[in-house]
Amino acid sequence: MNPARITANISGLAYLPQEASRQLSAGMGALEKIASCTASHLQQGGYMTDDEAREILANYRAHLSSGSAQDSPTITDFLAFAARTQSKIHELTAEGEVARMQKVLRHRLHEHVHYWSVGPLPGRPKSLYEHSPALRIACSLLGCPSVLAGETSIVHIASLNPMSAVVAADWIRHEMTAGGQADAPFIFSFIVDLPLWEGLVQRHFAA
């Protein structure tokens, strides 16, 4: 599936605004839309029922609107949130539930986002964030840290949710090419398991 089509299917999704005062609310709105699209793929892939999806989405929206998501970055991603609910139902670990959902989503997205399984990832490459502080905010909100530091013409991002990774890549391209100041970077997106993702998010975005 073409990445542009994936983001276009998330109805109403917009790029993060330049005004700092609007970025948090816009980011939370994006997380809601990503969650809805993710849940739809999980339903169609047979992972969850309509009733399960409705209940988890309602609880996730309440979680985002409560403000607690700002204080606990490792549970703002929809997959991490859903895994904690589903693990109680299926008697699996949250890590196991994330792996099951990732498998369904990668199949649904024709494995556009690859899975990282070849060892540890670096801690805090800053080149992308230093190039554009707005991208640190965007990557933080989407739970997609920039890893494998290098020139900003080549960007690697890690994610728990393939849908979030695709949206993050789109936002990064938009920000880095705004005003025609640079060519679009090559962006390599991949998903990681739950413990690795939690560690990356903590190292990159913890205050």
Side-chain angles (χ1 to χ4, degrees), residues 74-75 80 84 192-203:
T74 57
I75 59 170
R84 285 161 173 77
V192 296
D193 61 27
L194 181 61
L196 180 53
W197 177 77
E198 289 178 332
L200 285 169
V201 168
Q202 179 69 21
R203 287 197 297 273

Side-chain angles (χ1 to χ4, degrees), residues 1-2 6 14 20 24 44 72 74 95 118 132 154 174 182-183 188:
M1 184 179 292
N2 185 298
I6 296 172
L24 182 59
Q44 294 173 40
S72 304
T74 57
E95 183 178 355
V118 295
S132 174
I154 301 176
H174 174 79
D183 295 329
F188 298 93

Side-chain angles (χ1 to χ4, degrees), residues 96-178:
E97 291 293 347
V98 166
R100 289 182 62 198
M101 287 187 280
Q102 287 176 333
K103 183 177 180 180
V104 172
L105 291 169
R106 288 189 66 217
H107 176 72
R108 295 283 305 170
L109 302 178
H110 303 282
E111 300 194 350
H112 174 73
V113 179
H114 299 289
Y115 178 71
W116 180 273
S117 60
V118 295
L121 289 164
R124 291 182 61 92
K126 299 180 180 179
S127 57
L128 181 68
Y129 310 144
E130 289 172 349
H131 175 80
S132 174
L135 286 179
R136 184 183 189 279
I137 296 171
C139 289
S140 175
L141 286 167
L142 295 175
C144 295
S146 169
V147 295
L148 301 177
E151 297 295 329
T152 53
S153 60
I154 301 176
V155 178
H156 297 75
I157 54 173
S159 179
L160 198 68
N161 184 347
M163 294 298 306
S164 299
V166 171
V167 172
D170 194 49
W171 281 12
I172 290 169
R173 288 190 195 94
H174 174 79
E175 178 68 24
M176 294 183 71
T177 58

Side-chain angles (χ1 to χ4, degrees), residues 48-60:
M48 62 174 60
T49 66
D50 292 352
D51 288 342
E52 287 175 331
R54 276 193 293 270
E55 181 177 359
I56 293 171
L57 282 170
N59 291 336
Y60 183 67

